[in-house]
Amino acid sequence: MPSDTTTDRRPVPQTLPADTPKEGWWRSGTPWIWLNAMAVGVGVSAVAGLLGLIAVRGLAHFWPADVAVMGLADGSIVMGELVDVEYTDPASFEQAGGQDAGPIERWLVKTGNRRINGPDFRWVLAANVADTRFPSDVAVFERTEWGNAYGRISALYENGVLVANGNHAWNEMQSRLERVVELREEMTATQSTTIDPVNYKLERLRIERRRHVLEGTPEAPGLAEEERRLHATYREAETRLRTLADAMRRDAVEIVIMDGRTLVQPLGDVIGVWQPNSMSVYDKLLHYMKSLGVFLTGEPREANTEGGIFPAIFGTVMMVLLMAVIVAPLGVVAAVYLREYARQGLPVRLIRIAVNNLAGVPSIVYGVFGLGFFVYLVGGTIDDMFFPEAQPAPTFGTPGLIWASLTLALLTVPVVIVSTEEGLTRIPRSIREGSLALGATKAETLFRLVLPVASPSILTGIILAVARAAGEVAPLMLVGVVKLAPALPVDAIPPFIHLERKFMHLGFHIYDVGFQSPNVEAARPLVYATALLLIFIVIALNLAAIMLRSRLESRYEIVET
């Protein structure tokens, strides 16, 4: 038990003198704190709502929706997927009779069968629908072209001979579809492993023969024999492709569509078939995951409104990484010179003003500069000096991945310069002086002490540069991005990395699908899905840089005394 002499160490509350005026609620600043908190909350809610809208609209596209068969009041039948519901002004429809009947409900139905029915989307007034059914035998055919087909399977043919009909046709068709998938994969492998390398080698031989002609030197021995061997290999592969294509056209399925007409669909043009009305939740979930995987790993079809977007994902990530590799040394070297070596005065202040103003230049201006300087001047000069035998076809004197990365590096280098300079400014001068006093040179102080301590600020600039470069579209349209690239910038053909090739980009893909697509309704879900994927890629790249920055901050933390 404490004695009476124990000192009470509890803090004694301090009271203000009686003559000290108390601050009012407004003068205390509390309202501004709450207003700032409300603004942050509204901003976070808006961002979360936007991401939620994009996710719902984009990811719902891959779910196998039920197919409805709707009987209309006029006796016609509409078969398809219910895509959207809209309420419109009754004055725009004659059915309203000019009366104030309230908003009219209409349904957007994806009817498919574009090849014989025209547009594969149709608006249906809800008041005109007499009955709606969901038959279990209605199938959805995903095709390589002409979009989806909806109908009932009536018969299966092999080389024009009836093989099965009715319910037996469905089971027989599934086994034959597996054969078609194997044949399609074999055709793709033949194209990528034989046809493409042979074409590349034949083009190199043509260029080498032209180089000998320009230089006036005799042809290398064995050149003609190598060319004959490559042509023979090409003919064999081409014959193999024709054989596989004929084998894929062997089977065909007869489909009864909504108006009672029949459609004979070759199985070689079918990618997948499913009956959504008879699928369980588990089956739909498996189909959903498979469709999402095809979207992430497949190639685009039907003017980018069908298929996957893997070339765009690959091009975006590769361009951003290459841009980061270029912009980091440029921005850091410029910032180190301005802060550590340049004599501070009017010229340096003017340079800093110019750097800050460059951050506000419209991005399309950088695209025009990149097209004129990098593509035409630098690339054209490289072609004249090192690739004269390939003229007039340009090698580097045309938009490509390297020029797009350099253009975006110039676009984002002011951000890296400013961020790096701020990091260098925060380093106390005593650290530099202590290093020099211990006998280190200025270069050793810079590389072993100053730059490691400033590395978190450098990474902050790179993070901001990556975030901006990943979403830019306008300059890329001039310096390398295309609607559909024939080949990836990286493949198995030497030299394996082809920086001169054109590439696809997620940002341009969103613009092309959303505003240049011939089928707007079909492309709308892909716009949301691609935008969500682009956001995830930017977040992933930023998180990787943020984690690295946090480790560097904890390692090179400056303790002030």
Side-chain angles (χ1 to χ4, degrees), residues 4 32 61 80 83 93 127 143-144 201 205 236 245 330 350 363 370 389 393 404 421 494 497 526 546 550 555:
D4 297 338
W32 307 112
H61 170 68
V83 177
F93 295 95
R143 302 181 290 185
T144 57
K201 292 177 182 179
L205 289 178
E236 292 177 1
L330 287 177
L350 292 177
S363 59
E389 63 276 4
E421 269 207 274
I497 300 178
L526 294 180
I546 289 171
S550 299
R555 181 176 181 180

Side-chain angles (χ1 to χ4, degrees), residues 44-58 531-532 535-536 539:
V44 172
S45 301
V47 172
L50 179 61
L51 290 178
L53 174 64
I54 294 175
V56 170
R57 293 291 185 90
L532 181 65
I535 293 172
F536 282 160
I539 291 176

Side-chain angles (χ1 to χ4, degrees), residues 23-38:
E23 292 184 348
W25 189 61
W26 284 98
R27 295 183 60 187
S28 66
T30 303
W32 307 112
I33 296 176
W34 282 102
L35 286 175
N36 288 334
M38 289 175 59

Side-chain angles (χ1 to χ4, degrees), residues 197-271:
V198 166
N199 281 332
Y200 180 81
K201 292 177 182 179
L202 286 174
E203 178 64 17
R204 302 309 301 173
L205 289 178
R206 184 192 68 81
I207 292 176
E208 184 177 355
R209 178 175 284 112
R210 178 171 171 78
R211 180 173 59 83
H212 286 298
V213 172
L214 293 177
E215 295 176 355
T217 57
E219 271 190 18
L223 189 63
E225 179 62 28
E226 176 69 12
E227 188 175 14
R228 283 193 294 270
R229 186 185 66 80
L230 291 175
H231 278 295
T233 304
Y234 183 88
R235 286 192 295 269
E236 292 177 1
E238 190 176 30
T239 302
R240 178 60 180 165
L241 284 180
R242 291 198 189 98
T243 302
L244 293 174
D246 293 338
M248 290 184 65
R249 288 192 291 266
R250 187 193 71 177
D251 302 322
V253 60
E254 186 179 69
I255 309 171
V256 180
I257 61 177
M258 61 183 182
D259 55 4
R261 289 182 294 172
T262 59
L263 168 66
V264 177
Q265 176 63 52
L267 287 185
D269 298 334
V270 176
I271 297 177

Side-chain angles (χ1 to χ4, degrees), residues 345-376:
L346 180 61
V348 174
R349 288 199 298 270
L350 292 177
I351 291 175
R352 288 197 177 96
I353 293 173
V355 169
N356 292 330
N357 289 336
L358 282 176
V361 175
S363 59
I364 190 64
V365 176
Y366 286 95
V368 174
F369 173 80
L371 179 65
F373 180 75
F374 290 128
V375 177
Y376 292 152

Side-chain angles (χ1 to χ4, degrees), residues 305-388:
T305 60
E306 301 284 348
I309 57 171
F310 176 75
I313 298 174
F314 188 89
T316 301
V317 175
M318 188 171 183
M319 184 211 65
V320 169
L321 294 179
L322 186 59
M323 181 277 305
V325 170
I326 296 173
V327 74
L330 287 177
V332 172
V333 168
V336 167
Y337 174 78
L338 292 175
R339 179 55 58 183
E340 302 291 330
Y341 291 96
R343 184 185 299 273
Q344 304 301 314
L346 180 61
V348 174
R349 288 199 298 270
L350 292 177
I351 291 175
R352 288 197 177 96
I353 293 173
V355 169
N356 292 330
N357 289 336
L358 282 176
V361 175
S363 59
I364 190 64
V365 176
Y366 286 95
V368 174
F369 173 80
L371 179 65
F373 180 75
F374 290 128
V375 177
Y376 292 152
L377 181 59
V378 179
T381 303
I382 292 176
D383 285 350
D384 294 337
M385 294 178 61
F386 301 102
F387 302 98

Side-chain angles (χ1 to χ4, degrees), residues 320 323-324 327 408 412-413 415-416 460-470:
V320 169
M323 181 277 305
V327 74
L408 289 186
T412 57
V413 73
V415 179
V416 180
T460 299
I462 295 176
I463 290 170
L464 297 175
V466 166
R468 182 176 182 185

Side-chain angles (χ1 to χ4, degrees), residues 6-14:
T6 303
T7 303
D8 189 0
R9 299 180 180 274
R10 290 177 297 176
V12 178
Q14 301 293 328

